[in-house]
Amino acid sequence: MTLHSDAIVIGAGLIGLAIADDLARRGRTVRVLDERASHEAASWAGAGMLAPHPERAWHEAFEQLCLRSFERYPSFVADLIERTGLDPELRTDGVLIAAPSEAAAERLRERVRELRARAVDASWLDVSEAQAAEPAFGTHQHGAVLVAAGGQVDNRRLLAALEAACRREGVTIERGASGVRVEIENDRVSAVRTKRARFTASHVVNAAGAWAGRIPGVPAAAAVPVAPVKGQMLALSSALPPIRRVTWLEDWYLVPRPEGRLLVGATSEPAQFDRRVTAGAVHGLLAALLERLPALADAALVETWAGLRPGTPDGLPYLGPTPVQGYVLACGHYRNGILLAPITASSIAELVDGKRVALDDGFLLERSVPA
C-alpha cells in the first residue's frame, strides 16, 4: 500500500507535533510517524521548565533562539487553548537560582553581573530577600538570583493539546509505526516506509528525538550524531506549598505544579536507550532535596520516571536542510526541546513551505563540531 502526503514528520514528541500542526495550518497534508508511544518521548518525560538564558553565555545565537521561542510561548499556548480547549498551564513568573553555600553565592553574584551586562533582567536577592521569595528554604540558602524571563509549562498537557490540534487540522498521527525507513532517490527524499505501508512525500522532517541518528535509509552525508542522555526524575505530593516557582539548586531543580505536585530532577547520564529508573538515582535526588528542604521528609513519593534527551557533541540542535533534498532536520534539542518547540515549528514549517529562513550556521548539519 502506498499513500501520499506533502510532508512526513518522523517523531511525535512536542517538536514533531508542533511542526506538523504548523505545516497543516499552512495547507499541507501531513503524516506523523513514530515507532514509540507518547510516554517514551523526552518532551513527555521532561519537567516543562522554560529557561531561555542558559547557565553560561557559551553560544549567543543559541541564547537568542531560546529567548525568541520563550517570547512566543504566550501566543503559542493561547492559540492551542482556543483551538482545543486544553490548557497547558503556562507560567512566566521567572526562574530562581538558589545559592546553597557562600561559595555558590559568590558565583551567582558574578552571574548576575554577566547577565546584566547583556541587558538581561536579573536580580540578586540577599538572604532575607531570598527567604521572602521562597520561604520554604528558610536558612538553607545564601541568597539567590531571580531571572525574570522564565517559567514553566505542563509538558504532558502541552503534548496532549498539540496532538488534539494536529488531529483537528487533519494531521494523521501513527504511533507504533514499526520499521520506519527513509527512501532516497537521486539525492532526494522520496518516501518513508514502515512494515505496514509506503508513504511518499516531497519533504521528510527528522524530529525523532534521541533516535534521530538511527533512522535507516539515511545516507552518511545526512546522518546526525545524536545520542541519548538519560534523565531520571521524581514527583512528590505534599500538603505544604513548598516552592512557588521553578528553582535551580546547582545541578538539579524543582518545578512546582498547581495541583500540589513537586517535580524534582534530573540526572544526566549517557545511556544506551535505557529508560529504567534506578534506586541510586532516586536516592541521590531525594538526599539532595531533603538536605535543603528537610520539611519534605513526610511528602509522598508519587511517581518516578526516566527519559532520553537527544544529546549532540556540542550541545546545539540540528535545524535545517541536509545534502539530501527535501530531508530536513529538527533534532538534537537536548534539554531545550520544550522551550524551543514554538520557534522550531515555525522555522521548519517555513523552510518546508519554500520560504527563506535565517537559521544560524551553528545549527546546520555541516557546522564545525569541536573534537
Side-chain angles (χ1 to χ4, degrees):
M1 180 171 61
T2 298
L3 301 171
H4 180 75
S5 300
D6 294 329
I8 294 172
V9 178
I10 301 175
L14 282 180
I15 295 292
L17 292 178
I19 292 169
D21 180 48
D22 200 316
L23 282 169
R25 298 184 77 186
R26 296 167 187 264
R28 298 277 184 153
T29 56
V30 186
R31 183 177 299 272
V32 180
L33 301 173
D34 200 319
E35 295 194 19
R36 283 154 287 277
S38 60
H39 70 272
E40 295 183 74
S43 46
W44 184 93
M49 286 190 304
L50 304 175
H53 298 290
E55 185 178 350
R56 55 192 176 91
W58 57 280
H59 194 285
E60 183 178 353
F62 179 67
E63 183 172 16
Q64 287 303 310
L65 189 75
C66 290
L67 185 59
R68 285 164 55 204
S69 198
F70 175 75
E71 290 170 345
R72 294 185 183 198
Y73 244 98
S75 59
F76 179 69
V77 166
D79 173 72
L80 285 172
I81 294 173
E82 182 178 353
R83 289 192 289 140
T84 70
L86 300 175
D87 185 0
E89 297 182 343
L90 173 67
R91 291 173 54 185
T92 57
D93 52 355
V95 172
L96 195 77
I97 309 171
S101 66
E102 188 52 47
E106 186 52 41
R107 290 194 298 271
L108 287 177
R109 290 187 192 97
E110 178 57 33
R111 173 70 171 145
V112 170
R113 289 190 286 269
E114 181 264 324
L115 286 169
R116 287 178 174 172
R118 293 187 285 116
V120 176
D121 186 353
S123 306
W124 170 252
L125 308 181
D126 63 22
V127 173
S128 61
E129 292 169 328
Q131 289 175 358
E134 290 293 350
F137 283 99
T139 59
H140 291 270
Q141 60 181 333
H142 295 251
V145 177
L146 179 60
V147 183
Q152 63 163 296
V153 67
D154 189 316
N155 44 297
R156 296 180 185 178
R157 289 175 179 261
L158 182 59
L159 194 64
L162 274 169
E163 180 160 346
C166 281
R167 296 192 186 279
R168 179 182 180 275
E169 299 297 333
V171 175
T172 302
I173 302 172
E174 295 188 33
R175 287 196 171 89
S178 60
V180 171
R181 182 182 185 87
V182 172
E183 294 186 355
I184 310 293
E185 294 179 6
N186 300 319
D187 295 324
R188 179 177 183 84
V189 72
S190 60
V192 176
R193 187 182 292 274
T194 69
K195 290 184 177 179
R196 184 182 73 84
R198 181 175 182 266
F199 306 100
T200 58
S202 58
H203 288 84
V204 173
V205 179
N206 181 347
W211 292 265
R214 297 170 62 93
I215 299 175
V218 176
V224 288
V226 171
V229 179
K230 181 177 176 180
Q232 301 188 54
M233 296 185 61
L234 58 87
L236 302 177
S237 179
S238 172
L240 300 172
I243 301 295
R244 295 176 177 177
R245 59 168 62 80
V246 172
T247 301
W248 275 96
L249 290 107
E250 296 186 307
D251 56 354
W252 56 285
Y253 54 79
L254 307 171
V255 180
R257 290 287 196 242
E259 70 274 18
R261 280 164 56 98
L262 180 66
L263 310 188
V264 184
T267 65
S268 185
E269 312 160 44
Q272 294 298 318
F273 300 96
D274 170 17
R275 295 180 56 251
R276 295 175 305 123
V277 176
T278 63
V282 172
H283 175 268
L285 288 171
L286 285 173
L289 173 69
L290 295 179
E291 181 183 356
R292 305 286 180 244
L293 291 169
L296 285 174
D298 290 330
L301 178 61
V302 294
E303 187 181 1
T304 61
W305 67 98
L308 300 176
R309 308 180 189 96
T312 65
D314 58 4
L316 298 175
Y318 291 104
L319 305 173
T322 70
V324 175
Q325 192 173 354
Y327 182 63
V328 180
L329 302 177
C331 53
H333 291 77
Y334 189 39
R335 292 176 179 266
N336 296 285
I338 298 168
L339 171 62
L340 289 173
I343 193 75
T344 300
S346 60
S347 297
I348 299 303
E350 287 181 3
L351 186 66
V352 171
D353 216 23
K355 297 182 179 177
R356 186 177 180 84
V357 181
L359 285 169
D360 189 271
D361 289 348
F363 308 134
L364 300 179
L365 178 60
E366 61 268 25
R367 68 183 182 248
S368 255
V369 177

